[in-house]
Amino acid sequence: DTEVTQTPKHLVMGMTNKKSLKCEQHMGHRAMYWYKQKAKKPPELMFVYSYEKLSINESVPSRFSPECPNSSLLNLHLHALQPEDSALYLCASSYLGGQPQHFGDGTRLSIL
Amino acid sequence: GESVGLHLPTLSVQEGDNSIINCAYSNSASDYFIWYKQESGKGPQFIIDIRSNMDKRQGQRVTVLLNKTVKHLSLQIAATQPGDSAVYFCAEGGGGNKLTFGTGTQLKVEL
């Protein structure tokens, strides 16, 4: 069991749908992350929140919209996704930089 | 080695042998390095980390070696067990919160 909880575990959506991925941690970490991982590839950083403020956006398309409602929660809002967006979306958290990031088990997203 | 297309570099070892997984990093300014294990259907799991002011760090059955001169990192697993079968990623950090992951190595433990 991981200490970073992601829901849902699986999500299938059409290209016109709107959905949200959720991530929760209760380790007191002040940095939270979204990654995208394709099969047999390493995780690719999408967004970083530090003290609930967006600090890094790795030029992610606007159809992905992150939100950090409080220090324990991180959301990723999805709208008008493309088939190539099908991937495993991983959330992670850490105390700050230079500290281990702890990952959830991800949401497996399929775009029809 | 480098991954090509969908093929991960693979290391096959016999159960009970020691495993050594290698990683070359690219950024001379990186000062934090970390190894993750990822099993099928799971997220990456933290194994061990090391800072640039050290060249060796040991954990339970694992040792990380850092050679800054040649920008090389290795993970040694002692007495490899079937449960060690997974994909292993190294990652480097250069200050701030950003980690850059290597391409990964598939470790297969043969009985």
Side-chain angles (χ1 to χ4, degrees), chain A residues 37-100:
Chain A
Q37 187 177 28
K38 292 285 220 179
K40 298 192 183 297
K41 296 291 188 181
E44 296 177 1
L45 183 65
M46 300 174 71
F47 303 104
V48 180
Y49 274 82
S50 180
Y51 291 94
E52 300 157 50
K53 295 191 186 308
L54 183 65
S55 60
I56 296 177
N57 177 341
E58 292 285 279
S59 302
V60 179
S62 60
R63 57 186 184 267
F64 295 91
S65 176
E67 178 195 19
C68 190
N70 60 55
S71 60
S72 300
L73 295 174
L74 186 66
N75 299 322
L76 186 63
H77 303 298
L78 313 173
H79 175 55
L81 295 194
Q82 303 298 307
E84 61 265 27
D85 296 322
S86 296
L88 180 67
Y89 288 83
L90 293 162
C91 173
S93 68
S94 72
Y95 284 109
L96 283 172
Q99 299 289 331

Side-chain angles (χ1 to χ4, degrees), chain B residues 8-80:
Chain B
L8 279 171
T10 299
L11 174 66
S12 294
V13 299
Q14 293 288 322
E15 181 182 5
D17 287 352
N18 297 335
S19 302
I20 300 176
I21 302 171
N22 296 304
C23 177
Y25 65 92
S26 57
N27 188 348
S28 301
S30 294
D31 59 4
Y32 177 69
F33 304 88
I34 188 166
W35 281 100
Y36 286 96
K37 171 187 180 183
Q38 188 172 22
E39 297 175 274
S40 180
K42 302 269 191 179
Q45 177 186 356
F46 167 70
I47 302 172
I48 192 167
D49 59 359
I50 188 169
R51 301 189 189 282
S52 59
N53 61 353
M54 303 174 68
D55 52 21
K56 180 179 179 178
R57 191 167 186 221
Q58 289 183 288
Q60 186 176 11
R61 276 203 311 120
V62 294
T63 301
V64 56
L65 298 178
L66 175 62
N67 185 330
K68 295 181 287 295
T69 302
V70 295
K71 292 189 285 188
H72 183 267
L73 191 68
S74 68
L75 177 70
Q76 300 178 2
I77 304 173
T80 312

